[in-house]
Amino acid sequence: MVDPTRFDEGERDALRAAFDRVLASGQLILGEELAAFEQEIAAHLGAAHAIGVSSGTDALLTSLLALGVGPGDEVIAPAYSFFATAGAIVRTGATPVFVDIDLRDFMSPARSIGARIGARTRAIVVVHLFGQPAELDPLAELAADAGVPIVEDAAQAIGARLGDHAVGTVGALGAFSFFPTKNLAALGDGGLVTTNDPALAERIRALRVHGAREKHRHEIVGGNFRLDALQAAFLRVRLPLLASKTARRAQIAARYVDRLRSCGLGAPNEGQPIPSDDVVLLPRVVRGEHVFNQFVIRVAAARRAAVRTELLGRDIETAVYYPETLPRQPALAALPDAQGSFPNAERAAAESLALPIDPGLDSDELDRVVDALATALRR
Ligand SMILES: Cc1ncc(COP(=O)(O)O)c(C=O)c1O
């Protein structure tokens, strides 16, 4: 799915130079490298503040903590996402309240989120899944009406835009991940919180150093949630490459759609049932600019395992994001929603299949994926 040993021209040398720079500086924690990265990425995204943190998971956790979310609170989240979306809520002591998804874009519609806002709702986590912006406009309106802040989980969607705004800059806080499979990848773990609110920015900065605003004086309980200077230096090399890599992802997505449609193997995913076993449903850009962190098709549930085996037999990796819904995760079995009904999320868990979309893939490799998929579906 991702080959971390492939680099753009000059990228490897630039990463080595960044490493040497940090090594020579001796400043491994916080310091100028991190501050420079924070400034550059804040400008890139159009956010007033950007705070580097240890991972996307910790970006979500610190965001919720900065909003004061805790025991007795409810936080609304989609039933279909990576576990961190729900795990971060549970770690604050709050209760996740799940919302089913729309099968067209695998995200929770604003109207369904609105229906779950109640007296105990303290925040809404909106996930821009697979790199596509969620329905931010109606969500922002709804959240403002209810007086509930939005935390944008933009872990998969750096650079995605809706209207004039980058995702992660519309809600109270935005959480990003630099995990190596993400569009902007560190050489290890890393994350970012964005906000336009100076008070929240200050709180996140305190939370990432155990709540200490001055050394050895801890006013709130945070954690060690810092982004390493080395990772910041690597990310500074890669940030200027992000736009061209994102454009390449969109090109690959368009080529997949084109090829699969023209050979009659794919139809646009309108949220409909899959018409037959030998056809897949293809991602559509429902709104805004999609950055295609993942290219996720829908395959008949009964065929998915065989399709994956056929592709793997030809050295083509695929992935399932995600084979289980959040309410069905064993770690969340004690939640009130564990027994709830989320039929679209269940269907997505059974049918979704991510094809390789690394920007380093060339046209021949793409054609090989399409050919393999054709063979698998016609079997
Ligand atoms: C939607 C979503 N949220 C949160 C995260 C957590 O990010 P990280 O792996 O950097 O902790 C991820 C990363 O996989 C993700 O995909």
Side-chain angles (χ1 to χ4, degrees), residues 336-348:
D337 273 356
Q339 311 306 324
S341 165
F342 304 93
N344 288 345
E346 297 284 350
R347 183 174 281 264

Side-chain angles (χ1 to χ4, degrees), residues 73-341:
D73 293 333
E74 290 180 353
V75 177
I76 297 179
Y80 191 66
S81 179
F82 179 59
F83 182 75
T85 306
I89 298 169
V90 174
R91 285 171 67 193
T92 67
T95 303
V97 168
F98 293 115
V99 177
D100 202 10
I101 58 165
D102 187 325
L103 279 167
R104 281 175 304 174
D105 61 4
F106 302 98
M107 291 184 265
S108 304
R111 63 176 188 294
S112 314
I113 290 175
R116 296 225 67 185
I117 295 180
R120 288 166 59 198
T121 308
R122 189 66 191 269
I124 301 169
V125 179
V126 173
V127 182
H128 304 292
L129 202 67
F130 304 142
Q132 177 157 216
E135 258 187 319
L136 272 180
D137 291 336
L139 281 168
E141 213 168 291
L142 199 113
D145 286 350
V148 174
I150 289 177
V151 173
E152 291 179 68
D153 181 341
Q156 302 181 3
I158 192 159
R161 298 185 72 84
L162 193 62
D164 293 337
H165 300 285
V167 303
T169 66
V170 176
L173 296 137
F176 294 85
S177 166
F178 304 128
F179 184 76
T181 59
K182 299 300 192 270
N183 288 20
L184 179 58
L187 303 184
D189 277 310
L192 187 83
V193 178
T194 47
T195 182
N196 292 318
D197 180 333
L200 285 175
E202 194 276 333
R203 227 174 136 77
I204 300 279
R205 286 185 192 282
L207 283 163
R208 79 174 168 183
V209 289
H210 285 290
R213 292 182 169 104
E214 55 183 278
K215 202 165 183 180
H216 297 313
R217 185 172 169 76
H218 302 271
E219 293 169 18
I220 45 178
V221 177
N224 177 354
F225 297 132
R226 297 177 296 250
L227 178 66
D228 286 345
L230 258 181
Q231 297 302 345
F234 296 145
L235 289 161
R236 291 182 74 195
V237 170
R238 286 187 160 165
L239 181 60
L241 308 174
L242 179 61
S244 67
K245 289 193 184 191
T246 302
R248 176 69 188 142
R249 284 176 184 271
Q251 238 178 22
I252 295 173
R255 189 173 176 108
Y256 270 139
V257 169
D258 220 48
R259 288 285 322 267
L260 288 165
R261 285 196 74 172
S262 63
C263 57
L265 289 173
N269 177 17
E270 314 273 2
Q272 72 276 43
I274 299 173
S276 72
D277 268 14
D278 54 0
V279 167
V280 298
L281 297 179
L282 302 166
R284 287 169 53 240
V285 181
V286 175
R287 72 189 72 80
E289 286 168 45
H290 192 323
V291 296
F292 286 102
N293 178 238
Q294 299 297 343
F295 183 89
V296 177
I297 62 175
R298 290 175 54 206
V299 181
R303 296 292 297 278
R304 186 171 69 181
V307 167
R308 295 192 73 195
T309 304
E310 172 80 35
L311 267 63
L312 198 57
R314 296 166 181 234
D315 277 342
I316 300 167
E317 272 187 359
T318 55
V320 173
Y321 301 116
Y322 298 93
E324 196 64 276
T325 67
L326 292 176
R328 295 276 182 273
Q329 288 293 343
L332 307 179
L335 293 178
D337 273 356
Q339 311 306 324
S341 165

